[in-house]
Amino acid sequence: MNALDPFPLLIDDFPRTPRSLRVALVSETYPPEINGVALTMERLVLGLQARQHDLQVVRPRQARSEQPAAQTGLEQVLMRSLPIPNYPQIRFGLPAKSALLRLWSLRRPDLVHIATEGPLGWSALQAARKLKLPVSTDFHTNFHAYSRHYGVGWLQKPIAAYLRKFHNSADCTLVPTTELQAQLQALGFERLLVIGRGVETQRFHPAKRSAALRAQWGVGERDCVALFVSRLAPEKNLVLLAQAHAAMQQAQPACKLVVVGDGPARGQLQALAPAALLCGMQTGEELATHYASADVFLFPSQTETYGNVIPEAMASGLAVLAYRYAAPAELIDSGHNGVLVPFGDTAVFIEQARQLAAQPERVQALRLAARERAKALDWGQIVQQTEALWLQMVSTGPGSA
C-alpha cells in the first residue's frame, strides 16, 4: 500500500456464497405417505431449504380432496393419480408430460431431480429433456427384484430393462451404497454416483426408551423385545421373521415380537406369528419411542436398496440382526455393533436370533456400539454432497455429470 495514497484500496477476501438453486423434485411418494422414499425425500427437502434453495415438489395427489400441507417456502404441485392395484395405500402419478412442459416453461427450474420411475417420473424425464434441463435420478427400489414376490417373476428382465433405459436417460443416478452401484453397473446402468443416507440422531435416541410402553407390551425390563419396522409386504420375508422370533422364544420364552408398520401382508404375518404385537403405522415421537423401547432389531428382508430402518434402529440403540448387504453391510461391523449373516442363509439367521435372545449381556454391548456408529450419520453431510453435485451439473449443463 502506498503511504501517500489518501484513498488506499482495501481488499477483504470474503468467502464465496454458493448459488441458490431452483430445483424441481419429482416423486410418486411424499409425506403424508410413510415409507423410506417419502421420508428420505422429506429430509432432503428440509436440508436444502435450510441452505436457501428454492424447491418445487411434484407428486401425485394422494386423495381426491387432498390439499398440500403447509410448509414454509415449499411449492407443491399435485398431479392426477390412481391407486396401485392390490395396494390401494399407495398411489402412482399419471402421465403428465404436457402439464410439466407448461409448468417448467412458465418458471424454469435450474435442475430436475426424479426420485421414482413411475409414469409421472417418466413424464418428468421426457419434459426435462425437451427443455434441455439437467436431470438427476434416484435408485430407491429394486422393482425388478420385487416381481418374483408378486407372482410375476417373468417380468424381472423387462422391468430391469425399463429401469436401465430410464436411469441411463438422465445425467446421473444417485445410489446409496457402493454395493448397489456395482450391481447396477453389471446390469448396464451408467453414470452412477454414491451418496449415502443419514439419520436423525436426536429423534432416534436410546433416551426415548419407555418403561410404560414396555409394560403395555407385557414385558419386564429384563425381557427381550424383538422389533420389526417395515411395510408389511411379501418381499419383506415375513416367514423368516416369524421363524427367527420362534427361535428366540426357545432361548427366552418371554421374548416378544413387536411389529410397526402396515400393508397387504398384515394378515399373513398375523397367521405366521399370532402372538406378535402389531402396532400399525407409527410416526414422529411415537415411532422413536417404539424403536428405543425394544432390544433387538430383526431385519430379514433381501430386497432393499438401502434400508432406512437400519440406521434408525442403530441410532435408537438396538442390536441389529440382518443380512450382509445394503445398509447393514455399510454400517455394521458384525460382532461389534450388530450381527450380519451371509445373504440368503436362513438357517444362520435363525440361529443368530436364538443366540441374541440367550445372551443379554452381548445384546447390551451391541446396542451401545450401534448408537456410537449412528452418531456419524449426519443428514447435513448428505445434503451438502447432493448440493455440490447439483451446483456442478447446473454450471456445466445437461450431459456433463
Side-chain angles (χ1 to χ4, degrees):
M1 183 187 300
N2 187 342
L4 300 178
D5 188 347
F7 304 107
L9 180 62
L10 300 177
I11 300 176
D12 284 323
D13 185 14
F14 290 106
R16 180 175 170 272
T17 302
R19 176 186 169 188
S20 177
L21 295 175
R22 175 166 172 78
V23 180
L25 298 108
V26 182
S27 178
E28 307 279 345
T29 180
Y30 192 78
E33 287 183 337
I34 302 172
N35 57 65
V37 178
L39 297 178
T40 296
M41 290 297 294
E42 182 181 44
R43 289 307 311 167
L44 184 61
V45 164
L46 292 172
L48 290 167
Q49 283 186 302
R51 298 179 72 82
Q52 308 306 311
H53 296 292
D54 182 13
L55 305 179
Q56 175 191 74
V57 172
V58 180
R59 64 172 178 85
R61 189 180 298 276
Q62 295 167 3
R64 186 170 297 180
S65 60
E66 186 200 2
Q67 297 298 321
Q71 190 171 328
T72 304
L74 178 65
E75 175 189 355
Q76 293 197 54
V77 180
L78 305 188
M79 312 298 285
R80 294 180 305 150
S81 66
L82 289 174
I84 293 178
N86 301 319
Y87 209 151
Q89 300 96 328
I90 298 180
R91 302 180 71 88
F92 64 92
L94 298 178
K97 179 181 176 181
S98 297
L100 293 175
L101 283 170
R102 289 194 300 271
L103 179 69
W104 293 337
S105 295
L106 289 171
R107 192 177 178 200
R108 186 180 177 90
D110 294 308
L111 176 140
V112 174
H113 179 71
I114 306 171
T116 53
E117 306 96 341
L120 180 59
W122 179 258
S123 296
L125 181 60
Q126 297 304 302
R129 283 295 172 233
K130 179 80 171 176
L131 295 171
K132 294 182 168 48
L133 294 168
V135 181
S136 61
T137 61
D138 273 328
F139 194 97
H140 277 287
T141 308
N142 282 319
F143 286 114
H144 55 301
Y146 281 13
S147 59
R148 67 179 183 271
H149 296 282
Y150 289 86
V152 288
W154 55 275
L155 284 175
Q156 185 164 344
K157 288 186 177 179
I159 292 173
Y162 167 75
L163 294 175
R164 181 170 54 245
K165 179 179 179 180
F166 181 96
H167 289 286
N168 286 354
S169 298
D171 293 303
C172 64
T173 295
L174 310 185
V175 296
T177 67
T178 54
E179 178 190 42
L180 181 60
Q181 181 187 42
Q183 291 173 358
L184 293 178
Q185 284 175 338
L187 293 173
F189 287 69
E190 303 167 352
R191 297 179 297 282
L192 302 168
L193 302 176
V194 178
I195 294 183
R197 306 268 172 83
V199 64
E200 297 177 81
T201 55
Q202 292 309 305
R203 169 174 288 183
F204 298 104
H205 195 290
K208 304 288 179 71
R209 190 175 180 90
S210 169
L213 181 59
R214 287 178 63 91
Q216 289 181 23
W217 293 343
V219 296
E221 183 53 36
R222 294 182 178 276
D223 295 329
C224 179
V225 174
L227 181 70
F228 178 67
V229 179
S230 177
R231 201 164 35 85
L232 302 185
E235 69 273 10
K236 298 301 181 178
N237 207 359
L238 301 179
V239 172
L240 180 55
L241 175 67
Q243 292 172 335
H245 176 245
M248 297 178 79
Q249 286 185 308
Q250 292 175 5
Q252 187 186 133
C255 181
K256 184 78 71 174
L257 175 61
V258 174
V259 177
V260 172
D262 209 343
R266 180 186 177 98
Q268 178 196 15
L269 182 57
Q270 284 180 319
L272 290 168
L277 295 176
L278 274 59
C279 301
M281 290 287 191
Q282 302 290 328
T283 60
E285 287 302 305
E286 290 78 12
L287 175 59
T289 302
H290 277 69
Y291 268 117
S293 299
D295 304 291
V296 173
F297 190 79
L298 298 177
F299 198 66
S301 174
Q302 300 177 72
T303 58
E304 307 301 312
T305 57
Y306 186 72
N308 290 350
V309 294
I310 298 299
E312 290 174 356
M314 295 177 71
S316 302
L318 300 189
V320 175
L321 171 61
Y323 283 121
R324 188 185 296 277
Y325 83 114
E330 294 279 316
L331 303 179
I332 294 176
D333 176 8
S334 190
H336 171 63
N337 58 11
V339 178
L340 299 179
V341 302
F343 187 83
D345 194 329
T346 59
V348 174
F349 192 102
I350 292 169
E351 173 56 21
Q352 286 299 321
R354 188 195 66 77
Q355 290 186 26
L356 286 172
Q359 300 169 347
E361 295 82 6
R362 178 187 177 210
V363 167
Q364 181 62 20
L366 294 172
R367 293 175 60 192
L368 293 172
R371 172 63 189 179
E372 287 302 310
R373 175 65 180 92
K375 287 180 182 178
L377 304 176
D378 178 34
W379 263 115
Q381 179 183 352
I382 307 304
V383 172
Q384 288 181 28
Q385 291 176 0
T386 306
E387 177 192 57
L389 169 65
W390 287 350
L391 285 167
Q392 177 189 352
M393 291 174 64
V394 169
S395 67
T396 53
S400 59

